Amino acid sequence: GDSVTQMEGPVTLSEEAFLTINCTYTATGYPSLFWYVQYPGEGLQLLLKATKADDKGSNKGFEATYRKETTSFHLEKGSVQVSDSAVYFCAQLGSSASKIIFGSGTRLSIRP
Amino acid sequence: GAVVSQHPSRVICKSGTSVKIECRSLDFQATTMFWYRQFPKKSLMLMATSNEGSKATYEQGVEKDKFLINHASLTLSTLTVTSAHPEDSSFYICSAQQGAGKTYEQYFGPGTRLTVT
C-alpha cells in the first residue's frame, strides 16, 4: 500500500547549520507531496507542497523537490534557526483518495 | 488563509465520563472534516472522515460507538469520546477541507489534548 518513510529523529543541529530531512514514498500513480511542521503543543501547519514531478516547493527558507525517479521529497534548509525547532512530517495525498498519509515525523532541535 | 479552530484546547476528565471536542472552520465552509489521533512522539493516525449531513466513515480498528462524530453543519464537526478511559488520553487533531478529493487542501486545527484520569 501507499506509505511514507522519513528519517528517524531526533535531529540536533547548531544554529546556521545546513538541514536535510530525508523522505521517500511508495504510491500507485503520482501523489501530491507535502511537508508539515508541528510546533510544541500545536497542530500541524502546511510548510510546503509539490503536486507533480520536478516541482519544487519552498517556504520560509525550506525547500523540497519532487523526485519521481527516486520517489523522494527531501526537506532542506541552508541555515537553520532556533525557531525552526519542531517536528516535521512528510506526507502524501494519493491520486485515488483524499486521505493524507503521514510519515512518522522527525523531531528537529536547533542549539543556539 | 483558512483557519480551523478546536475547542477545548485541553481537557481533563474522569474515567467513565464523556468528552466532546469541537472543530470549526472559521472562514470557509468545510464539506469534509477529518479527525486524527496523535500518540506521544508518533505520527497522526486518521480516525474518521466526516461529510456534512452524512455518517462518518471510520478507519479500520476505530470504534464508532466510542468515538461519535457529528458533522452538523458546513462549519462544525464534533468528536465525542464516550465512556473515556485512560488509554483514550491523546492529542486529537481535526482538519477541514472545502471539497472532496485531492484538489482541496486540508487545513488543520491546533489540536485538543485529552487526559483521562
Side-chain angles (χ1 to χ4, degrees), chain A residues 8-28:
Chain A
E8 287 193 24
V11 173
T12 303
L13 296 172
S14 296
E15 204 166 19
E16 299 183 1
F18 184 86
L19 168 72
T20 300
I21 301 178
N22 290 337
C23 171
T24 58
Y25 66 91
T26 59
T28 51

Side-chain angles (χ1 to χ4, degrees), chain B residues 40-89:
Chain B
K41 299 185 180 181
K42 299 289 185 184
S43 189
L44 279 73
M45 180 191 78
L46 180 65
M47 299 174 66
T49 302
S50 73
N51 293 297
E52 187 265 341
S54 62
K55 290 185 178 180
T57 303
Y58 289 82
E59 295 298 301
Q60 193 172 10
V62 178
E63 298 176 62
K64 62 180 181 181
D65 294 331
K66 180 167 187 61
F67 297 100
L68 301 179
I69 292 171
N70 182 21
H71 194 158
S73 75
L74 285 171
T75 59
L76 173 64
S77 176
T78 60
L79 167 67
T80 301
V81 183
T82 62
S83 187
H85 288 95
E87 58 265 32
D88 298 324
S89 298

Side-chain angles (χ1 to χ4, degrees), chain A residues 38 43-44 46 98-99 102-103, chain B residues 38 43 46 59 105-106 110:
Chain A
Q38 184 179 33
L44 271 68
L46 177 64
S98 61
K99 182 168 68 174
F102 288 91
Chain B
Q38 185 179 28
S43 189
L46 180 65
E59 295 298 301
E105 184 172 334
Q106 286 187 31

